[in-house]
Amino acid sequence: MSDLVTVVGIGADGWAGLSQEARRELHAAEVLMGSARQLGLLPEPGAERVVWPSPLLPALPRLIAPHRGRRVCVLASGDPMFHGIGATLVRLLGADRVRILPHPSSVSLACARLGWAVDRVEVVSLVARPVEVLHPAVQDGRRVLVLSADGRTPAGVAGLLTARGYGASAMTVLERLGGAEERVISGAAGQWSLPVAHALNVVAVECRADAGTVPLPRLPGLPDEVYEHDGRLTGSEVRAVVLSRLAPTPGELLWDIGAGAGGIGVEWMRAHPENRAVAVESDPSRAAVIARNAAALGVPGLDVVTGAAPAVLAGLKAPGAVFIGGGVTVPGVVEGCWEALRPGGRLVAGAVTVESEAVLASWQGELGGDLVRLAVSRTAPAGGFTGWRPLAPVTVWTVVKPPVRESAR
């Protein structure tokens, strides 16, 4: 009897493409788990077969638990540790209870067909994710591989590219990679005419911007014009400084308090695909605008919380960084954010009025950190000439929460 779960990667070529080791494990299995399609690729051994339900993840623990002590083999598409069930099982059971027998991933097979270097390609998964998450990867001259959710994904990708001003991008859809019925379809995004491809496909994109398309880099300080807003938007220059002080690192959570149009949270999440953010906004109409901006700029996963701080902060997961763009004069806001902030986390707050500046100065005197005043001027017509038009100065307070001392743990 064994508590080890073996995960076998399998491709569209099925049994014929498996290694001898993978075949031996499948022959010896007492329980086989996988999708109906994957199980259908195998000959009929005597093992009990368990077909994955939908949705799978909530049901996975109760599917695995009854078979403890039996030889269990789980089937996975391609490389189980690349956006696959293998990584999920390791998190659930522990690395010591999971054995992985990988197969070439769809990315490896696609790059082999296209002659692309795998290390020079950005991979974006649209499996159970909206097509808008592709936006940050769309940069002129870059190659992107999209892992499709189904046969409608290629048309969705083509539509996004065209609307974004990248209709000239070359698209290649690779269906059933590695199988006998493998097929490759190519065309420009702006002229894409295939409404539905085979469900098993990946989309290769060579991004080419149309003339006049404004680039949207992942660096902070996107042009103000790309946001929908009613004036409650941190200007691009100040936004760049604030993000540099928030110092996003992969996987961290940000609270954006008094989020306005959501610019800080959006650009925090654009900095890395694993970054997360909660935008807190008391005005319901502005909260709706934040959600639209997040989708349009490629981070539809931004969590928008409608309500007033500090009351709505209760129950939110502790952040690694906080930006207070509005509400520093509201009693309890700074205290609540500081208390929730993780040790070593950064708190950044902005002020544009004398009253809010006084609050920041008081907190700086109590908690430390530094105060910086940003004064930005932009050119504007002045009669027949060009002059400088100053924007309202912004005072920015930055403070780092001290790490927990060893003796206090």
Side-chain angles (χ1 to χ4, degrees):
M1 301 223 303
S2 171
D3 286 337
L4 190 69
V5 173
T6 300
V7 186
V8 175
I10 190 168
D13 49 357
W15 185 261
L18 294 175
S19 66
Q20 290 298 320
E21 183 179 17
R23 292 181 184 183
R24 282 195 299 269
E25 288 292 336
L26 292 170
H27 274 307
E30 297 173 89
V31 181
L32 290 173
M33 296 183 173
S35 69
R37 179 190 64 81
Q38 292 165 340
L39 292 170
L41 296 172
L42 304 182
E44 289 289 338
E48 177 184 350
R49 295 191 173 205
V50 178
V51 179
W52 294 137
S54 181
L56 169 60
L57 293 184
L60 194 57
R62 63 177 172 80
L63 292 174
I64 296 292
H67 302 290
R68 187 158 188 171
R70 304 177 72 189
R71 296 192 67 159
V72 177
C73 267
V74 171
L75 293 175
S77 295
D79 185 344
M81 300 302 288
F82 184 74
H83 294 281
I85 192 67
T88 303
L89 286 170
V90 167
R91 288 194 299 270
L92 178 65
L93 304 175
D96 58 332
R97 288 191 56 206
V98 181
R99 182 184 180 211
I100 306 293
L101 298 179
H103 187 277
S105 69
S106 57
V107 169
S108 294
L109 293 173
C111 286
R113 302 293 188 271
L114 297 166
W116 289 7
V118 178
D119 60 303
R120 300 297 300 275
V121 172
E122 182 161 1
V123 179
V124 178
S125 174
L126 296 185
V127 178
R129 302 169 78 198
V131 70
E132 287 86 359
V133 300
L134 181 60
H135 274 299
V138 178
Q139 306 291 340
D140 194 28
R142 297 294 294 167
R143 287 173 168 173
V144 183
L145 274 178
V146 179
L147 307 183
S148 293
D150 54 36
R152 299 187 181 277
T153 300
V157 170
L160 179 143
L161 290 167
T162 303
R164 171 77 182 276
Y166 283 77
S169 299
M171 282 180 48
T172 302
V173 177
L174 302 102
E175 301 177 337
R176 292 172 281 196
L177 277 165
E181 298 179 309
E182 181 177 311
R183 184 173 72 146
V184 176
I185 307 126
S186 298
Q191 284 84 46
W192 195 257
S193 59
L194 181 68
V196 182
H198 190 274
L200 292 179
N201 75 83
V202 297
V203 184
V205 181
E206 294 186 81
C207 299
R208 296 172 188 162
D210 302 334
T213 296
V214 177
L216 299 179
R218 286 179 171 169
L219 293 175
L222 292 180
D224 295 349
E225 295 76 24
V226 303
Y227 288 96
E228 176 187 349
H229 65 93
D230 61 359
R232 280 290 303 276
L233 174 72
T234 304
S236 60
E237 297 87 355
V238 175
R239 208 181 316 126
V241 172
V242 167
L243 264 297
S244 71
R245 288 177 165 253
L246 287 169
T249 58
E252 278 195 307
L253 173 67
L254 168 77
W255 286 1
D256 182 5
I257 310 299
I264 297 297
V266 165
E267 296 187 30
W268 169 278
M269 290 185 66
R270 283 177 61 90
H272 193 277
E274 293 184 16
N275 284 0
R276 297 160 297 136
V278 176
V280 176
E281 175 54 53
S282 60
D283 186 312
S285 61
R286 285 179 180 149
V289 168
I290 293 170
R292 292 196 292 271
N293 282 330
L297 293 169
V299 290
L302 189 152
D303 185 10
V304 182
V305 174
T306 305
V312 297
L313 304 181
L316 296 181
K317 189 172 181 180
V322 176
F323 175 62
I324 307 175
V328 294
T329 59
V330 176
V333 169
V334 177
E335 296 95 321
C337 292
W338 183 253
E339 182 178 345
L341 187 64
R342 291 180 177 274
R346 289 83 60 205
L347 188 150
V348 180
V352 294
T353 66
V354 172
E355 291 79 8
S356 55
E357 275 190 341
V359 171
L360 294 191
S362 175
W363 278 109
Q364 192 262 349
E366 181 175 338
L367 297 178
D370 62 58
L371 290 167
V372 173
R373 171 172 274 200
L374 304 175
V376 177
S377 296
R378 296 177 179 173
T379 56
F385 298 92
T386 301
W388 290 102
R389 179 174 297 169
L391 305 181
V394 180
T395 299
V396 177
W397 172 49
T398 305
V399 63
V400 177
K401 191 169 186 177
V404 177
R405 296 177 181 176
E406 291 292 335
S407 59
R409 291 179 182 174

